[in-house]
């Protein structure tokens, strides 16, 4: 193992990285709490910003000291990106199964992209160049114009549905427990943390799966306007029978995921 590789591995396994991950998880939790709050406002007809990551950042920027807080969110997200990239490059060496090792590494890379998108959105919001919306019509339209565009959009939709389904599965089976140390799973506090994780993962997974469903519908109808981000997905929920009740449940679930991020930061296990 050469010196740069050894240094990168040491950085990934260092106590400093643990602190960086904790800071990033707190930032990630704040974003989810704000998305949950905006979704709750949507459910009761008091919408101010889109119920999405970018909408949450825009809402935060309008609060006292909001600009500073958004910059802190950006820093936290980029710390998580660094962690996941190190995991992709050097992580999971203890896995004897090559297929399982690379599956975990690719998952880490996928999460790095998610965190990076939120971080970049935070930078744009902090510098005044980001909007409050979460629309995806333009991106979907560009994909539609490519050769086999409908298939590409459909594949993206199925991938998003798959990711949402994996979150629901992790919530239902409580596989997320592996992210908490033993103390974080013990006693009354541990019971609360696990319940927050279960509700949070399932609610977030359902919301993301609906986003994927909108992409698939756009592919089938060849209409980019049928696709949409989280905000449009939640509005779709609101339009259904008992939509207000369902959207309220999802909003509280997304907020629960945010609270679980705080618990994970306190009782980090990786």
């Amino acid at each position: 193992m050469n010196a740069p590789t050894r240094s990168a591995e040491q950085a990934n396994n260092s106590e400093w990285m643990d602190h960086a991950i904790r800071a990033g998880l707190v930032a990630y939790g704040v974003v989810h709490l704000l998305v949950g709050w905006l979704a709750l406002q949507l459910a009761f007809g008091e919408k101010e910003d889109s119920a999405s990551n970018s909408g949450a950042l825009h809402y935060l920027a309008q609060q006292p000291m909001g600009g500073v807080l958004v910059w802190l969110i950006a820093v936290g997200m980029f710390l998580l990106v660094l962690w996941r990239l190190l995991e992709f490059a050097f992580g999971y060496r203890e896995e004897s199964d090559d297929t399982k090792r690379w599956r975990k590494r690719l998952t880490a890379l996928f999460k790095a992209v998610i965190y990076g998108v939120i971080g970049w959105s935070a930078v744009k919001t902090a510098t005044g160049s980001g909007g409050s919306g979460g629309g995806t019509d333009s991106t979907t339209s560009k994909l539609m114009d490519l050769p086999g565009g409908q298939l590409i959009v459909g594949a993206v939709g199925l991938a998003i549905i798959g990711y949402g389904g994996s979150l629901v599965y992790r919530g239902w089976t409580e596989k997320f427990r592996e992210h908490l140390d033993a103390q974080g799973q013990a006693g009354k506090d541990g019971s609360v943390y696990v319940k927050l994780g279960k509700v949070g993962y399932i609610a977030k997974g359902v919301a993301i799966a609906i986003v994927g469903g909108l992409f698939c519908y756009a592919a089938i109808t060849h209409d980019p306007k049928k696709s949409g981000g989280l905000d449009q997905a939640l509005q779709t929920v609101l339009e259904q029978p008992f939509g207000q009740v369902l959207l309220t449940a999802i909003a509280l679930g997304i907020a629960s995921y945010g609270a679980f991020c705080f618990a994970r930061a306190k009782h980090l296990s990786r």
Side-chain angles (χ1 to χ4, degrees):
M1 184 185 301
N2 57 43
T5 299
R6 189 182 305 112
S7 297
E9 276 203 88
Q10 289 174 347
N12 189 37
N13 296 322
S14 67
E15 185 177 351
W16 175 89
M17 183 56 71
D18 284 346
H19 292 315
I21 293 168
R22 288 188 173 98
L25 287 171
V26 169
Y28 201 43
V30 169
V31 171
H32 280 83
L33 285 177
L34 290 173
V35 171
W37 170 243
L38 292 173
L40 199 59
Q41 287 185 323
L42 176 62
F44 288 92
E46 299 176 359
K47 182 181 178 184
E48 294 183 25
D49 285 287
S50 66
S52 63
N53 293 330
S54 59
L57 293 168
H58 185 263
Y59 177 82
L60 181 60
Q62 295 174 318
Q63 309 311 310
M65 296 293 291
V68 174
L69 294 174
V70 172
W71 274 116
L72 291 175
I73 295 289
V75 171
M77 290 297 99
F78 290 134
L79 288 173
L80 290 181
V81 170
L82 175 62
W83 168 42
R84 291 303 188 181
L85 289 177
L86 287 172
E87 278 198 327
F88 169 70
F90 308 107
Y92 310 110
R93 292 180 182 272
E94 72 281 359
E95 289 288 351
S96 57
D97 186 337
D98 287 345
T99 300
K100 190 173 183 179
R101 182 190 308 118
W102 278 104
R103 178 175 59 81
K104 288 186 175 182
R105 285 182 171 179
L106 290 173
T107 299
L109 181 61
F110 174 70
K111 290 181 178 179
V113 172
I114 293 175
Y115 299 146
V117 169
I118 297 174
W120 180 241
S121 181
V123 170
K124 290 199 298 181
T125 300
T127 57
S129 59
S132 62
T136 58
D137 292 359
S138 177
T139 302
T140 308
S141 180
K142 291 176 182 177
L143 290 175
M144 286 283 197
D145 290 338
L146 296 174
Q150 275 184 279
L151 293 177
I152 294 173
V153 172
V156 169
L158 291 175
I160 294 173
I161 290 173
Y163 176 56
S166 71
L167 291 177
V168 172
Y169 173 77
R170 290 186 68 83
W172 186 258
T173 60
E174 298 183 2
K175 285 181 67 66
F176 59 84
R177 282 175 175 264
E178 65 188 9
H179 298 315
L180 298 172
D181 61 20
Q183 185 180 359
Q185 301 182 48
K188 292 183 178 179
D189 287 348
S191 178
V192 172
Y193 297 154
V194 170
K195 287 178 181 177
L196 286 172
K198 188 159 192 167
V199 172
Y201 270 85
I202 291 174
K204 182 178 178 181
V206 168
I208 288 175
I210 294 172
V211 174
L214 292 176
F215 270 82
C216 289
Y217 186 53
I220 292 171
T221 60
H222 204 280
D223 184 357
K225 293 183 179 180
K226 300 296 185 182
S227 69
L230 181 59
D231 184 65
Q232 187 170 334
L234 296 178
Q235 290 189 56
T236 300
V237 171
L238 185 60
E239 293 167 1
Q240 308 311 307
F242 304 104
Q244 188 179 47
V245 174
L246 293 173
L247 182 53
T248 299
I250 290 176
L252 294 176
I254 292 173
S256 295
Y257 184 91
F260 176 77
C261 288
F262 296 154
R264 185 178 174 186
K266 183 179 180 181
H267 299 283
L268 180 65
S269 176
R270 62 183 182 107

